[in-house]
Amino acid sequence: MLAMMLFSGCKQSNETGAAASSSRPEYALVIHGGAGTIRREDMSPEKEAAYTAALNQALDIGEEVLRNGGSAMDAVEAVIVFLEDTPLFNAGKGAVFTNDGRNELDASFMNGATREAGAVAGVTIVKNPIRLARKVMENSVHVMMAGKGAELFAKEQGLDTVPPEYFFTQERWDGLQRAIDRENKSTGALDPAHNDSKFGTVGCVALDKSGNIAAGTSTGGMTNKRYGRVGDAPIIGAGTYADNATCGVSATGHGEFFIRYTVARDIAALMEYKGLSLNEAADMVVNKKLVEAGGEGGVIALDRNGNVAMPFNSAGMYRGYAKPGKREVGIYKE
Amino acid sequence: MLAMMLFSGCKQSNETGAAASSSRPEYALVIHGGAGTIRREDMSPEKEAAYTAALNQALDIGEEVLRNGGSAMDAVEAVIVFLEDTPLFNAGKGAVFTNDGRNELDASFMNGATREAGAVAGVTIVKNPIRLARKVMENSVHVMMAGKGAELFAKEQGLDTVPPEYFFTQERWDGLQRAIDRENKSTGALDPAHNDSKFGTVGCVALDKSGNIAAGTSTGGMTNKRYGRVGDAPIIGAGTYADNATCGVSATGHGEFFIRYTVARDIAALMEYKGLSLNEAADMVVNKKLVEAGGEGGVIALDRNGNVAMPFNSAGMYRGYAKPGKREVGIYKE
């Protein structure tokens, strides 16, 4: 179960070859827990083991749903709720702090069968923002809600709310203090490249037995962020996209670039209009377009044939995928 | 100057043929003031004349900038500031009211030369949200800001702020009361198809003498909206997109569909990856994909050769374009 594979490079971290696409697996599932400057030399063995165990547990949860004939949407929700509840990741419990010491959470959800979508930005009292994003999709006429309005909708929908203190973790608080110190010592400009060393987000894409794809993304945002900044996680087409005809995508990285380059939609568009494979499309966007633009991060993606891609151009990305009889989990590039 | 052309159909409202694309005009400019159930039989001659005059004045303002060698970005900003300040349109002064009687404004801006972008959502005291979107792009490390945080940034940038009452207009207030009455008499569900008969947004795309494209969109949102709903106007790739390599787009319509279908980016992707012309791409998205999905609205778009497209699938769209020696302004489909 903890058979962790360490990948030797970005391209190699994707499945390659025709074998993968020749027959659709019964189900497929791919997850991430954030990308960034995640290096082996900075990680204790205990911490590495904890991340690896959490990624495997997330895959267990998703596989359980899919193996039993559950929908891709149910798998995505169950996996992301688990990742949100796990303080290791910057989403839900474990969210990073804004400049003024708050936790503002964003999430989005998309159903590839219908291209319906839901998203929330800047919520502070919703225990599991991914559940709220799905409720927005399923039970409202809107796609995106923000702030207090989104929280009112969460209460009306009977979702669990928590006092803002629920999201407090000492590690994230210390991260904010370090970021503020760094800022005071430098030019005073907010430098997201030193965002306490990583861009935290969690995401999941699933393909179920019926051939439906769903994708979701959830985040606590950027350490020390100001001005009600909204990143790519709640932006359909940037952080999340799903269409049964092409693929599902969840992104993690320097969100500003992911919005400007409409990353998740671009991968689907390259498949849809240019005929690229999932791997080719994801690789072109992450390792060519984003690299040329200076946009650090990665994506997880999965197509209707169950092919999986997990490219990233940063030092590391917490990631993993599972299909019947097959599983890989990884953290570093090499 | 008030030589208004009444178009005889959606496709005919676009320029057609090779003549338009064979030589790039010195500059080009296209604008919209919202789409929806805008019918000649519902419009008084006075109101029609007022809209036509305002659209022409907006084109005058943009042409003045471009003719004198100003940038596409400056033209877009100047045009949208004028449309925001004109109470006829649902943006800035003249914004519609939320369910709780407030005006929440959204805007976005994109520079096709660099693919830099800026967006704001849910601001209530910023006189010209389009200026704020541009400031976010130019003077912050972020792409999108929301709510109070965005307003704080506006103040720091020295932008004009106004008391929320500035945005009050009797007509929009009456529109909210009608929407609430209609809702009380019906199922209680919020029905955006009867959103006081139109989807108000303003937008502008410009091509300057240097060959740079810029696009911007601004809106007062949806009458009677709840829950901090965010539409497509502040979403890069949905309501606004610009890339010198392909085109600039500003959208107006039922925003939820425009987000799910990443409308502005999709038009550019069809040109970039499938080799469609601007007209073909805009027509496919607006008159095929959105129609099949049930998404009402339209777009204005402009490519690097100065070709202009203004397709819409609703009854009407306030729109117009200008190039040296050429101008058209329209409201209805036929």
Side-chain angles (χ1 to χ4, degrees), chain A residues 123-136:
Chain A
V123 295
T124 60
I125 58 163
V126 178
K127 182 164 182 271
N128 291 108
I130 195 68
R131 285 201 208 276
L132 180 55
R134 185 172 176 182
K135 290 282 188 198
V136 170

Side-chain angles (χ1 to χ4, degrees), chain A residues 110 114-117 140-150 152-153 156 189-192 222 225-231 234-237 241 254-257 259-262 265-266 269-270 272-274 284-285 289, chain B residues 110 114-117 140-150 152-153 156 189-192 222 225-231 234-237 241 254-257 259-262 265-266 269-270 272-274 284-285 289:
Chain A
M110 192 157 182
T114 60
R115 284 170 79 172
E116 290 177 305
S140 89
V141 295
H142 297 319
V143 166
M144 188 170 185
M145 298 182 185
K148 298 278 171 225
L152 172 64
F153 183 74
E156 288 182 10
L190 182 60
D191 181 357
M222 186 180 263
K225 75 166 182 170
R226 287 183 174 84
Y227 305 124
R229 177 254 188 186
V230 179
I235 307 295
I236 299 301
Y241 193 73
H254 189 164
E256 279 68 18
F257 287 89
I259 296 175
R260 290 166 51 202
Y261 285 78
T262 61
R265 178 60 176 109
D266 202 23
L270 282 163
E272 188 174 355
Y273 302 139
K274 219 176 175 176
M284 173 170 289
V285 173
K289 291 187 176 197
Chain B
M110 191 157 182
T114 60
R115 284 170 79 172
E116 290 176 307
S140 90
V141 296
H142 297 319
V143 167
M144 189 169 184
M145 298 181 184
K148 297 278 170 227
L152 172 64
F153 182 74
E156 288 181 11
L190 182 59
D191 182 357
M222 186 180 264
K225 75 167 183 168
R226 289 185 173 82
Y227 306 124
R229 177 253 186 187
V230 178
I235 306 295
I236 299 301
Y241 193 73
H254 189 165
E256 278 69 16
F257 287 89
I259 296 176
R260 292 166 49 202
Y261 285 79
T262 61
R265 178 61 178 108
D266 202 23
L270 283 163
E272 188 174 356
Y273 303 139
K274 218 175 176 177
M284 173 171 288
V285 173
K289 290 187 177 198

Side-chain angles (χ1 to χ4, degrees), chain A residues 161-198:
Chain A
T161 55
V162 290
E165 305 82 68
Y166 164 81
F167 297 106
F168 179 91
T169 58
Q170 191 63 46
E171 182 169 353
R172 301 303 190 189
W173 183 257
D174 295 345
L176 173 63
Q177 306 316 316
R178 285 194 299 273
I180 290 172
D181 282 354
R182 210 161 37 223
E183 193 175 278
N184 290 341
K185 284 174 193 150
S186 72
T187 62
L190 182 60
D191 181 357
H194 294 91
N195 178 31
D196 213 32
S197 301
K198 63 179 173 292

